[in-house]
Amino acid sequence: FGARNQNAHETLLAVDVALTDWARLRVAGGVDLVQTQTATELSVPVDRSFRHVLGQAGLSLNLPGGWTTAVLAELRQRTYTTSVMADSTHYSRVDTRLRLLVEVDKRVGGRARLAAEGGWIDNASNRADPLLSDDEAGYEEAVAKLSLYFQL
């Protein structure tokens, strides 16, 4: 499991601007560098180190009646940095993830909040594996979440 131990260096720069009293815009970008030890799996040296490049944009609105809504778009590209050609599942591999989310939030009483979130995520990869079809190297998913929060 040597290739599972990680040293991560993460940076994120975000700008959050109030457009009006009820609307905020957030734009962010970052780079993560994650290093792992080279280990042997099935007699092949593997290196799971990678680099993330991330971009985000979001808009949140405070609406009358205690309602809040937010829209978020995020694009993340993960590039594996291994130089081991025998590690065919990670050599020259790039994964791209697009997330689009919408959240609606309502204050309920003085200490509770009800939130609903929905979205779509698209994961794509150029993973070089002759046993995988294109559909298996990437996927799409719909997400839905309903939450109730209480402040103590």
Side-chain angles (χ1 to χ4, degrees):
F1 294 105
R4 305 285 191 251
N5 296 328
Q6 298 181 345
N7 291 322
H9 307 279
E10 301 174 359
T11 60
L12 182 70
L13 176 62
V15 176
D16 195 337
V17 178
L19 301 174
T20 67
D21 289 342
W22 50 271
R24 297 191 72 81
L25 176 67
R26 181 175 194 268
V27 178
V31 176
D32 301 342
L33 302 173
V34 178
Q35 296 176 312
T36 64
Q37 300 171 352
T38 300
T40 302
E41 293 181 7
L42 301 173
S43 71
V44 174
V46 294
D47 178 3
R48 301 283 190 261
S49 300
F50 59 86
R51 177 181 59 248
H52 274 159
V53 177
L54 174 74
Q56 293 178 333
L59 178 66
S60 60
L61 305 173
N62 292 322
L63 303 174
W67 289 90
T68 303
T69 187
V71 178
L72 171 71
E74 176 183 278
L75 181 63
R76 181 194 74 186
Q77 188 174 60
R78 175 183 286 189
T79 303
Y80 288 88
T81 57
T82 183
S83 60
V84 180
M85 289 182 71
D87 184 7
S88 62
T89 59
H90 293 90
Y91 183 75
S92 295
R93 178 173 162 186
V94 178
D95 295 346
T96 303
R97 179 178 181 166
L98 174 64
R99 280 191 335 144
L100 302 172
L101 299 174
V102 175
E103 183 178 272
V104 177
D105 193 296
K106 170 75 169 126
R107 281 193 311 270
V108 182
R111 300 185 147 225
R113 194 166 52 93
L114 182 63
E117 181 181 297
W120 176 75
I121 299 172
D122 179 48
N123 288 285
S125 179
N126 70 342
R127 182 174 168 183
D129 187 337
L131 301 177
L132 293 181
S133 68
D134 289 343
D135 290 340
E136 293 172 308
Y139 59 92
E140 296 177 4
E141 63 182 312
V143 294
K145 180 170 75 171
L146 184 62
S147 305
L148 181 61
Y149 299 95
F150 289 100
Q151 182 180 3
L152 301 177

